[in-house]
Every structure is written in structure tokens, then in C-alpha cells.
Amino acid sequence: MDLVDPETRQVLATTAELPGKINSIAYSGDGSRFVAASGISGLYGAATICRADDASIVSQVKGHRDSLYDARLSPDGSLLATCSYDRQIKLWDATSGKLVRTLSGHNGAVFKLAFSADGSTLASASADGTVKIWNAQTGERLDTLGQPEGEQCAVAISPDDQWIVAGGADRQVRVW
């Protein structure tokens, strides 16, 4: 299926209106769904899971005390990870929408999340100038990568799980 008709540049599907500004969109590992992170500043965040083929809403999880900056499905699609201005990361059961655990430890807004290829590890980038590494199954913080000199806005884990790369306000990209 073509994403955009090259002749008409026509939109193929549109979701129902989501709450607040949409801050990120990410596909599931198998490409069958995507999740959008949004919310109302100062009130709540919303992670909306949609079918990729027609943009219909499958489920929506509302949580946090502020807008979501990012939402990611684990590679196997079982967990939904969300992060917010409220400095917390929440892990949800992607099927039931029930909160599994809350990860606390950042001293600033959490901007971006990344799962390892096997879904066992989660990395988070924060306004506190750190990247934290978490065990996604237990919630244990495994490491804090604190060398940056400014807020970290982006993080990724390499497909072979060997490297973590992050960047932000200090205008440098670091590889660990």
C-alpha cells in the first residue's frame, strides 16, 4: 500500500481528534500499529494506539500529570512506555491499558524513549542532562549516563543493542 498517492497527494486516513498537541508518533515493531503521544499541559498525557492501515483508534491510555513527550511500544508490542514533562516514565500493559510500573529518577522532563531490540532495556533522555538505562521488566535503573552539558532531547539504541546514542541542547551527539 502506498502511503501517499503520488498523483493526488491525498491523505489516505485520519485519526479522530486527539487531546492536545501531538508530540511524537512511533510505529510498532511489526508495523501494524502506531502510537501517538499527546496531552493537555498541566492536566494529563494521552498515548493513543491506532491501526496503521486505517488510523482507527485501538486504545488510549491517559496518565501522567502533564503532556506526553513520547510513547513507544516494546518490540513485541506487549508494553507501552510513556514519558512526560512530569519527570516520570510509565510502563503500561499495551493490551489492557493497566499501569505496570512507574520509573522515577529523572530531575527534569523526560523527552524521548528507546527500547532495545529484545525489549529488555529502555533508555530515556531528559532535560536533567542525563540518559538513564532501565530494566524494562523490573523497572530497575541500570545506569545513568551523565556526561552531557545540557538537556538531552533524543536517544536511540542500535539494532544490535551494542550502542546508545543521544543528543540535545549541548549540540553534541554522544555514543556509549
Side-chain angles (χ1 to χ4, degrees), residues 54-127:
D54 65 3
S56 62
I57 294 175
V58 174
S59 63
Q60 187 175 75
V61 173
K62 291 183 180 175
H64 292 271
R65 294 183 311 262
D66 214 310
S67 291
L68 297 187
Y69 284 129
D70 199 14
R72 300 284 164 160
L73 288 162
S74 61
D76 68 0
S78 65
L79 279 178
L80 170 66
T82 59
C83 64
S84 170
Y85 184 80
D86 70 5
R87 301 181 285 179
Q88 295 186 332
I89 300 161
K90 294 184 184 265
L91 298 177
W92 311 85
D93 179 290
T95 303
S96 70
K98 292 187 189 272
L99 181 64
V100 175
R101 70 184 47 85
T102 299
L103 310 179
S104 299
H106 278 294
N107 295 317
V110 184
F111 294 126
K112 194 59 81 179
L113 301 169
F115 275 103
S116 60
D118 67 2
S120 67
T121 305
L122 182 71
S124 56
S126 172

Side-chain angles (χ1 to χ4, degrees), residues 3-19:
L3 293 177
V4 177
D5 182 325
E7 297 296 318
T8 64
R9 305 243 189 268
Q10 199 169 347
V11 173
L12 299 176
T14 304
T15 65
E17 190 172 311
L18 304 181

Side-chain angles (χ1 to χ4, degrees), residues 9-50:
R9 305 243 189 268
Q10 199 169 347
V11 173
L12 299 176
T14 304
T15 65
E17 190 172 311
L18 304 181
K21 178 177 75 169
I22 298 167
N23 290 311
S24 76
I25 300 172
Y27 274 99
S28 61
D30 66 4
S32 67
R33 299 174 292 163
F34 64 85
V35 59
S38 66
I40 308 293
S41 295
L43 295 178
Y44 67 90
T48 307
I49 299 173
C50 301

